[in-house]
C-alpha cells in the first residue's frame, strides 16, 4: 500500500523524492504513543494507557487514540501554553514595581477553555482584539479583550510623563498584534520605513490608530460594599505600616529588625483584592491623536494619521477610517480575520505545524517577511491554510490531519535499526496484561499477560487522499524582482507573489512536483546519507527528536511520581523559592506562597507568570522571558540543567515521592522497581544493559537516588 496516508504526505514525499531521499520507517507503537501524549497533552502516558494502545490491533487504533486526546481537557492546558508564549502572557507589569495585573489568570483560563471547545480561530482573534466592543456586558468578551493588558507597563512614581508612557503602551500593543496575528515585524517600522519589508512608517502609525481610544478598565465582580470594606482594610493596614516605618528612624538595630519583621508580616497578610476582570474600553474623549513620529520620538510629531492597515495588505478599495469610527478594534479584527487576508491563516497553520514537528514550514513563526525564513514546503503551507479556513477556522481538524499522516508517524531514528522480528525496539520480549498493562515475564503480576510486539508491525494504512489540482500557490511575504509586492489569487487563498519560484524551483533549488496520486506503490530510496543531503531535516525524512520543555519536564515529574494535582483553573499558584530571590523584588510581599501544599503540585500552566521572578527550574529549561512574543522556544543544553535536576528543590522532593510510589507498586524487588520506573518515566522497558547498571546502583544507593537518576535520563527528558 502507498506510503502517503493523507495529502500532507504527498506534499512531503514529493520533496523527498526530488532530493533522492526516502521517509524513515514508522515509529514503534511505544514511541508513537509517548510522542502523541506529550504533543497533545504535555503529559506522559501511563503504563496502562501505553499498554492499551499497543494491545489494540484494530486498523483505527491510532485514530481512536488521537480523537481521545483531542477531547481531553489536558489538550487545552498544553496548547494554551503555546499561545501564552506567543502573546507574552504575564500576570504582572514588569519594570521596577512589577505590579499585579488584577486577576490576569482569567485570560489564561479563557484560552484553555477556548481551545478545548475548539473555538473557531477567526472568532478567537475577534474576541481578543475587540471583545469589549462585541459585547461589553459579557464577562467572557471582557476577559478576552484582556489580551491588550498582557504586556509590560512602566509605572513611574513622581516623575511620570503621561504622554511618554501612553506612547510606550500603544507601541507595545501595536507590535504584538503584528507579530502574533500577522507574523510580521511591523515594529521595525516605528522609527523609519521597514528596511526589508514593504511596510512604511506611516503604515505603522495607521495601525496604531485603531488603538488610539483604548484605555485600561478594571471591572469589579464584587458588590460595592465588598469593595468599600476591602479599601477600608487596606487603608488601615497601610497606615499602620507607615507608622512602623516612621519608627525606624530613631530605632536601634534590634528594634529596627523587629519593626521590619512586623512590616513584612503586615504586607504578607494584606487582604486579597476583590474579584476583578482586567480589560479595556473605548474612551472617545481620551482618544490619543496619532502622528507619524520622527525617529519614533513621541515629542517629534509629524503627519497626523487615521486608521488603516499596511498598504501591502489593506484592500485597495478601502480608505483610511475616520477617527470617530464607532468600533475601531472590531474593524481591525475583522480585517485580520478575513479569509482574504493572505497572512492570518498561514501564520496560524504554520504555528500548529511547528508545535507538532519542532520547527515550522516557515522557521521564523513571527516573521513572514523578507528577513524571515523561506517556507520549506510553500504549497503545503497554502494547503494547510486553505483547509484551516474550509474547516471553519477550527484547529482540531488540522491537528487530526497532521497526527494521522505518515510523516508524523515516522521514526526519529537516522537509519534503519537492526530490530529483530518478534522483539520490541529495545530487544525485550514485551508482555501486556489482559487490560493492556505492560510488564515483563519477570515482573510482578501487577504489571500483567503475554502479547508480543513485532518490530515490523505498522499501524494500519488509511487510503491516501488525492491533493486537489495543482494551482498557483503563495508563501509568506516576499518580494518580486523590482522589490515591490503584490497580490494574486490561487490555491483558494490570496497570496503574495515573488518567492524566486521560477522554473518550478523553491529557494533551495529543489523541484517541487507533487507526488503521484492515489495508489503510488512505493517511495524512492536515497542515494546518499540523508544527513548530508538535508542536515536540518527540513524535508522531514525522519521525525525530529526533541527535549521536553520546562513545563513538560515538571509536569512529567509530577505525573510519574504520583503527585500531580489535576485541579484546573483559578488563581495562579506561587511556589516556595529561595528567600534571596524574593528579597530582590520591589515588594517581597508580592510573592505569597500558596497556603495549600497540594496546590504546589498543580500543572505548570497554572503557576504564576511573574515578569520579575521566574522559577529557577523553569528558567534553566528555557522558559521564555515575558517581555516580548516568543514564537518558538529555544532548547539549550548546559550544566545548570543537570545541577537543577540533581540538586534542585523540585526534583529532589518529587524523587522522594517517585521512590515511594515504586516501593508501593512494585514491591521490594529491585528488578520490579527498575521495570516500573522505566515504564512510568520512559514509556518503555529498560534495556538489559540499563537494567544491570540500575541493579548495581541499587545495591549501594537508596531507591530515592535511583528515582532522581531516572529524572536525569535522556529517555525521560526527550521524546523520540
Amino acid at each position: 500500500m502507498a506510503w502517503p496516508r493523507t495529502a500532507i504526505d504527498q506534499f512531503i514525499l514529493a520533496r523527498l523524492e526530488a532530493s533522492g531521499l526516502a521517509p524513515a520507517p514508522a515509529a514503534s507503537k511505544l514511541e508513537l504513543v509517548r510522542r502523541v501524549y506529550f504533543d497533545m497533552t504535555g503529559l506522559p502516558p501511563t503504563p496502562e494507557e501505553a499498554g492499551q494502545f499497543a494491545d489494540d490491533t484494530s486498523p483505527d487504533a491510532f485514530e481512536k487514540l488521537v480523537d481521545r486526546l483531542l477531547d481531553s481537557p489536558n489538550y487545552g492546558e498544553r496548547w494554551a501554553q503555546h499561545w501564552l508564549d506567543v502573546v507574552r502572557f504575564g500576570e504582572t507589569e514588569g519594570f521596577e514595581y512589577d505590579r499585579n495585573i488584577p486577576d490576569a489568570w482569567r485570560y489564561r483560563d479563557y484560552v484553555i477553555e477556548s481551545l478545548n471547545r475548539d473555538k473557531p480561530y477567526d472568532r478567537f482573534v475577534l474576541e481578543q482584539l475587540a471583545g469589549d466592543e462585541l459585547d461589553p456586558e459579557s464577562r467572557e468578551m471582557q476577559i478576552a479583550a484582556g489580551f491588550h493588558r498582557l504586556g509590560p507597563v512602566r509605572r513611574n512614581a513622581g516623575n511620570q510623563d503621561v504622554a511618554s508612557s501612553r506612547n510606550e503602551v500603544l507601541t507595545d500593543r501595536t507590535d504584538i498584534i503584528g507579530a502574533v496575528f500577522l507574523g510580521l515585524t511591523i515594529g521595525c517600522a516605528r522609527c523609519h520605513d521597514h528596511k526589508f519589508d514593504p511596510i512604511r512608517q506611516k503604515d505603522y502609525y495607521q495601525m496604531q490608530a485603531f488603538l488610539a481610544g483604548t484605555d485600561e478598565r478594571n471591572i469589579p465582580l464584587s458588590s460595592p460594599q465588598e469593595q468599600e470594606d476591602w479599601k477600608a482594610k487596606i487603608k488601615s493596614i497601610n497606615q499602620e505600616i507607615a507608622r512602623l516605618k516612621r519608627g525606624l528612624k530613631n530605632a536601634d538595630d534590634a528594634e529596627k529588625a523587629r519593626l521590619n519583621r512586623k512590616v513584612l508580616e503586615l504586607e504578607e497578610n494584606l487582604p486579597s483584592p476583590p474579584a476583578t476582570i482586567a480589560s479595556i474600553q473605548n474612551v472617545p474623549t481620551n482618544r490619543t491623536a496619532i502622528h507619524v513620529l520622527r525617529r519614533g520620538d513621541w515629542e517629534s510629531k509629524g503627519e497626523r494619521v487615521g486608521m488603516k492597515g499596511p498598504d501591502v495588505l489593506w484592500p485597495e478599495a478601502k480608505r483610511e477610517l475616520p477617527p470617530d469610527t464607532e468600533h475601531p478594534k472590531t474593524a481591525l479584527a475583522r480585517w485580520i480575520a478575513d479569509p482574504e487576508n493572505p497572512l492570518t491563516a498561514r501564520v496560524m497553520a504554520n504555528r500548529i505545524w511547528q508545535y507538532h514537528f519542532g520547527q515550522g514550514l516557515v522557521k521564523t513563526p513571527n516573521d513572514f517577511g523578507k528577513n524571515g525564513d523561506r517556507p520549506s514546503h510553500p504549497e503545503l503551507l497554502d494547503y494547510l491554510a486553505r483547509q484551516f479556513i474550509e474547516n471553519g477556522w477550527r484547529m482540531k481538524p488540522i491537528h487530526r490531519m497532521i497526527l494521522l499522516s505518515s510523516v508524523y508517524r515516522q521514526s526519529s531514528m537516522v537509519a534503519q535499526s537492526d530490530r529483530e522480528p518478534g522483539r520490541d525496539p529495545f530487544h525485550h520480549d514485551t508482555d501486556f496484561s489482559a487490560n493492556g498493562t505492560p510488564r515483563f515475564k519477570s515482573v510482578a503480576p501487577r504489571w500483567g499477560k503475554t502479547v508480543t510486539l513485532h518490530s515490523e508491525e505498522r499501524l494500519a494504512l488509511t487510503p491516501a487522499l488525492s491533493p486537489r489540482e495543482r494551482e498557483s500557490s503563495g508563501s509568506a511575504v516576499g518580494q518580486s524582482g523590482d522589490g515591490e509586492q503584490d497580490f494574486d489569487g490561487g490555491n483558494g487563498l490570496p497570496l503574495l507573489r515573488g518567492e524566486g519560484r521560477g522554473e518550478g524551483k523553491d529557494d533551495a533549488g529543489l523541484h517541487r512536483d507533487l507526488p503521484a496520486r492515489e495508489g503510488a506503490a512505493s517511495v524512492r530510496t536515497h542515494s546518499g546519507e540523508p544527513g548530508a543531503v538535508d542536515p536540518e531535516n527540513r524535508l522531514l525524512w525522519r521525525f525530529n527528536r526533541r527535549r521536553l520543555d520546562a513545563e513538560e519536564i515538571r509536569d512529567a515529574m509530577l505525573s510519574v511520581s504520583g503527585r500531580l494535582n489535576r485541579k484546573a483553573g483559578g488563581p495562579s499558584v506561587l511556589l516556595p523559592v529561595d528567600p534571596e530571590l524574593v528579597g530582590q523584588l520591589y515588594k517581597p510581599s508580592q510573592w505569597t506562597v500558596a497556603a495549600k501544599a497540594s496546590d504546589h503540585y498543580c500543572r505548570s500552566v497554572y503557576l504564576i507568570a511573574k515578569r520579575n521572578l521566574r522559577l529557577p527550574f523553569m528558567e534553566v529549561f528555557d522558559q521564555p522571558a515575558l517581555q516580548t512574543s516568543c514564537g518558538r522556544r529555544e532548547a539549550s543544553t548546559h550544566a545548570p540543567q543537570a545541577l537543577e535536576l540533581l540538586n534542585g528543590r523540585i526534583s529532589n522532593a518529587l524523587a522522594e515521592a517517585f521512590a515511594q510510589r515504586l516501593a508501593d507498586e512494585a514491591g521490594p524487588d529491585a528488578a520490579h522497581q527498575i521495570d516500573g520506573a522505566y515504564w512510568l518515566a520512559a514509556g518503555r522497558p529498560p534495556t538489559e544493559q540499563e537494567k544491570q547498571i540500575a541493579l548495581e546502583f541499587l545495591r549501594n544507593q537508596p531507591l530515592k537516588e535511583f528515582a532522581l537518576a531516572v529524572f536525569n535520563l535522556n529517555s525521560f527528558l526527550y521524546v523520540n
Side-chain angles (χ1 to χ4, degrees):
M1 200 170 189
W3 182 78
R5 287 178 168 92
T6 69
I8 288 173
D9 297 324
Q10 297 185 3
F11 287 107
I12 297 297
L13 186 58
R15 293 296 309 278
L16 290 174
E17 291 187 332
S19 302
L21 300 177
S28 73
K29 278 194 165 185
L30 293 182
E31 291 169 330
L32 191 59
V33 69
R34 190 169 190 264
R35 177 189 301 172
V36 75
Y37 261 85
F38 272 112
D39 195 358
M40 299 311 295
T41 71
L43 294 169
T46 65
E48 292 77 16
E49 289 166 336
Q52 287 168 6
F53 173 63
D55 208 25
D56 188 347
T57 59
S58 61
D60 60 347
F62 189 58
E63 187 174 346
K64 290 185 294 186
L65 174 61
V66 166
D67 289 340
R68 187 166 74 250
L69 295 179
L70 285 171
D71 288 339
S72 167
N74 300 142
Y75 158 76
E77 293 171 332
R78 171 60 182 160
W79 281 77
Q81 186 62 65
H82 297 319
W83 184 256
L84 297 178
D85 281 0
V86 174
V87 300
R88 48 84 172 101
F89 171 73
E91 298 178 67
T92 59
E93 294 180 335
F95 294 104
E96 180 184 5
Y97 302 125
D98 201 26
R99 297 193 327 180
N100 289 332
I101 300 172
D103 289 357
W105 56 267
R106 297 182 192 277
Y107 174 84
R108 176 206 65 210
D109 287 357
Y110 158 80
V111 173
I112 293 172
E113 178 62 22
S114 295
L115 294 180
N116 277 330
R117 284 161 39 196
D118 203 16
K119 180 177 291 181
Y121 182 67
D122 57 346
R123 179 68 186 182
F124 191 53
V125 171
L126 195 62
E127 290 176 356
Q128 292 178 80
L129 290 179
D132 61 306
E133 296 176 351
L134 294 176
D135 187 353
E137 303 304 316
S138 166
R139 287 189 181 186
E140 182 182 10
M141 294 302 98
Q142 291 288 1
I143 292 169
F147 164 82
H148 295 284
R149 297 284 301 276
L150 300 179
V153 179
R154 189 193 308 273
R155 305 283 183 181
N156 297 324
N159 60 340
Q160 184 174 12
D161 191 314
V162 176
S164 175
S165 297
R166 175 64 171 168
N167 181 58
E168 285 184 3
V169 169
L170 290 175
T171 295
D172 176 75
R173 292 177 182 175
T174 306
D175 293 356
I176 199 68
I177 290 171
V180 171
F181 302 109
L182 298 174
L184 292 177
T185 55
I186 193 170
C188 293
R190 181 170 69 93
C191 302
H192 48 70
D193 290 348
H194 202 293
K195 295 295 186 182
F196 302 100
D197 300 333
I199 302 173
R200 300 171 305 159
Q201 188 184 19
K202 183 177 179 180
D203 292 332
Y204 178 84
Y205 289 100
Q206 287 175 321
M207 277 277 288
Q208 192 176 96
F210 285 103
L211 309 173
T214 299
D215 267 335
E216 295 177 359
R217 181 191 180 195
N218 292 330
I219 305 171
L221 300 180
S222 55
S223 68
Q225 185 59 52
E226 289 172 326
Q227 296 169 51
E228 289 302 319
D229 291 345
W230 176 79
K231 290 177 182 178
K233 290 178 183 177
I234 290 293
K235 181 178 180 181
S236 175
I237 294 173
N238 284 338
Q239 288 174 344
E240 177 63 12
I241 290 173
R243 186 187 69 79
L244 292 171
K245 287 183 175 180
R246 287 194 298 270
L248 291 171
K249 294 180 181 179
N250 301 317
D252 57 28
D253 290 344
E255 181 65 8
K256 283 182 179 179
R258 187 189 70 82
L259 291 174
N260 280 325
R261 286 196 300 272
K262 184 64 175 175
V263 168
L264 183 59
E265 180 182 339
L266 288 171
E267 288 179 340
E268 289 179 343
N269 289 283
L270 284 169
S272 299
T276 305
I277 295 174
S279 190
I280 55 169
Q281 62 183 342
N282 290 331
V283 184
T285 55
N286 290 344
R287 183 184 294 115
T288 304
I290 302 298
H291 297 262
V292 176
L293 302 181
R294 288 184 286 273
R295 298 183 180 274
D297 181 2
W298 67 274
E299 292 183 317
S300 300
K301 296 180 175 62
E303 176 190 359
R304 184 168 179 175
V305 296
M307 293 173 271
K308 185 173 173 290
D311 277 348
V312 70
L313 298 170
W314 193 252
E316 291 185 12
K318 295 185 69 173
R319 298 182 179 276
E320 205 176 68
L321 302 182
D324 59 350
T325 298
E326 185 177 3
H327 294 136
K329 296 191 298 296
T330 301
L332 171 66
R334 293 198 186 283
W335 165 66
I336 289 176
D338 191 321
E340 291 301 311
N341 189 310
L343 286 174
T344 308
R346 284 186 176 97
V347 167
M348 192 58 194
N350 187 65
R351 294 193 193 280
I352 294 172
W353 184 274
Q354 171 188 281
Y355 294 125
H356 284 300
F357 291 97
Q359 61 182 357
L361 298 168
V362 176
K363 286 198 301 182
T364 51
N366 282 2
D367 186 2
F368 270 47
K370 182 171 175 54
N371 225 27
D373 180 57
R374 303 301 85 174
S376 59
H377 299 76
E379 291 89 353
L380 174 55
L381 179 58
D382 290 347
Y383 174 77
L384 291 172
R386 183 180 63 192
Q387 291 297 305
F388 190 29
I389 294 171
E390 290 181 355
N391 280 289
W393 294 86
R394 297 186 182 276
M395 298 183 207
K396 289 187 178 182
I398 302 300
H399 286 306
R400 196 173 189 275
M401 185 191 317
I402 291 172
L403 295 173
L404 296 181
S405 68
S406 290
V407 65
Y408 182 83
R409 302 192 214 186
Q410 291 182 105
S411 171
S412 61
M413 308 295 281
V414 174
Q416 285 277 9
S417 72
D418 57 352
R419 301 173 188 172
E420 301 175 26
R423 291 176 179 266
D424 75 1
F426 303 94
H427 307 292
H428 283 274
D429 294 317
T430 310
D431 295 349
F432 291 92
S433 69
N435 65 357
T437 308
R439 68 172 291 267
F440 292 95
K441 292 175 180 176
S442 61
V443 178
R446 73 182 72 249
W447 296 93
K449 151 197 153 194
T450 301
V451 175
T452 304
L453 272 182
H454 293 271
S455 65
E456 66 271 22
E457 181 180 12
R458 296 290 179 261
L459 300 178
L461 297 173
T462 55
L465 300 179
S466 298
R468 305 186 182 192
E469 290 302 310
R470 190 172 188 185
E471 304 167 19
S472 61
S473 58
S475 67
V477 175
Q479 290 189 325
S480 57
D482 59 1
E484 296 294 324
Q485 292 179 316
D486 51 4
F487 292 94
D488 196 0
N491 207 26
L493 281 173
L495 62 96
L496 293 167
R497 282 202 304 262
E499 282 290 323
R501 296 185 181 187
E503 302 177 2
K505 304 277 187 167
D506 67 5
D507 293 286
L510 297 174
H511 190 61
R512 295 194 321 273
D513 282 341
L514 287 176
R517 298 293 195 255
E518 292 184 65
S522 62
V523 296
R524 301 178 202 164
T525 57
H526 58 78
S527 56
E529 286 297 322
V533 177
D534 180 25
E536 294 186 3
N537 193 30
R538 294 289 281 140
L539 303 182
L540 292 170
W541 47 271
R542 63 178 174 86
F543 195 82
N544 287 314
R545 190 173 187 238
R546 71 173 181 90
R547 197 202 69 207
L548 302 178
D549 63 31
E551 290 82 1
E552 286 177 305
I553 294 173
R554 179 179 173 275
D555 291 355
M557 292 167 69
L558 287 166
S559 179
V560 302
S561 66
R563 288 294 183 89
L564 180 62
N565 179 355
R566 293 182 179 268
K567 177 184 175 183
S572 295
V573 174
L574 287 83
L575 299 183
V577 295
D578 293 337
E580 293 83 0
L581 295 176
V582 177
Q584 294 175 14
L585 296 174
Y586 180 79
K587 284 189 175 182
S589 58
Q590 291 175 341
W591 195 272
T592 303
V593 175
K596 292 177 63 177
S598 61
D599 288 342
H600 299 177
Y601 304 122
C602 68
R603 289 205 66 175
S604 300
V605 72
Y606 297 117
L607 298 178
I608 186 76
K610 186 170 178 62
R611 284 194 158 88
N612 285 8
L613 202 167
R614 284 183 288 164
L615 289 174
F617 182 93
M618 310 299 280
E619 186 173 5
V620 79
F621 283 104
D622 307 303
Q623 184 188 52
L626 308 174
Q627 306 303 319
T628 58
S629 171
C630 176
R632 180 183 178 220
R633 290 194 185 190
E634 299 300 324
S636 63
T637 302
H638 49 82
Q641 293 169 343
L643 295 174
E644 183 66 37
L645 285 172
L646 287 170
N647 304 319
R649 180 201 306 262
I650 291 175
S651 55
N652 276 271
L654 293 179
E656 289 273 10
F658 188 19
Q660 186 60 53
R661 179 180 185 181
L662 292 174
D664 292 343
E665 296 185 10
D669 186 275
H672 297 171
Q673 292 170 350
I674 294 165
D675 290 333
Y678 271 84
W679 273 112
L680 286 165
R684 63 166 176 87
T687 65
E688 291 300 330
Q689 183 182 23
E690 288 169 338
K691 195 164 190 175
Q692 290 305 313
I693 292 172
L695 285 169
E696 182 64 29
F697 183 87
L698 284 171
R699 290 190 184 100
N700 304 300
Q701 298 291 336
L703 188 56
K704 182 259 181 180
E705 293 301 315
F706 170 67
L708 189 62
V710 170
F711 284 155
N712 283 264
L713 293 175
N714 281 350
S715 296
F716 173 70
L717 295 169
Y718 284 79
V719 172
N720 290 323

